[in-house]
Amino acid sequence: MKAKSNRHVFKFQPRFARLVESGQKCQTVRPRRKREPQPGDIADLREWTGKPYRSKQRRIREETIIGTKPLVILPSGGMVLDGALLNPHERDGFAQDDGFGDSVEMRQFFETIHGLPFEGTVTFWASLESEVNHDP
């Protein structure tokens, strides 16, 4: 008998929700959770319709999670993905895949929201509309 897939809700700011909806953004970086997503689980991708916690949520889409990797964003601007220190080109590519202009913008965002160093998990999902091929 097949195990039941777990559902994980991810809420996005409007700037990221547009990218998720278009299929351009197929990953999200979040603080570690008690119950981490697993391949085969469902990513329930949502945004607030108005003011957060004071409005309804809109489901952007549902996707199948294809993998996760640990991520550390260092105060120096370095990023360690799945134990490997990313070079500047890899950092910028990763940040762009996550909806940022470059790794500097991403580091500033995480420093403001979570503080640095940031230790979290990047979750990847499959999007039928996207031709981006991630290797989680």
Side-chain angles (χ1 to χ4, degrees), residues 68-72 80-85 122 136:
T68 63
K69 291 183 179 180
L71 175 73
V72 179
V80 180
L81 180 62
D82 201 22
L85 182 64
V122 56

Side-chain angles (χ1 to χ4, degrees), residues 40-74:
D41 286 352
I42 302 299
D44 187 348
L45 311 172
R46 301 177 181 199
E47 72 173 329
W48 295 104
T49 58
K51 206 170 185 86
Y53 303 100
R54 292 182 167 82
S55 64
K56 292 184 179 184
Q57 295 175 19
R58 177 180 81 89
R59 177 171 289 138
I60 301 168
R61 63 193 316 141
E62 285 186 358
E63 299 291 354
T64 301
I65 294 171
I66 58 174
T68 63
K69 291 183 179 180
L71 175 73
V72 179
I73 302 174
L74 303 168

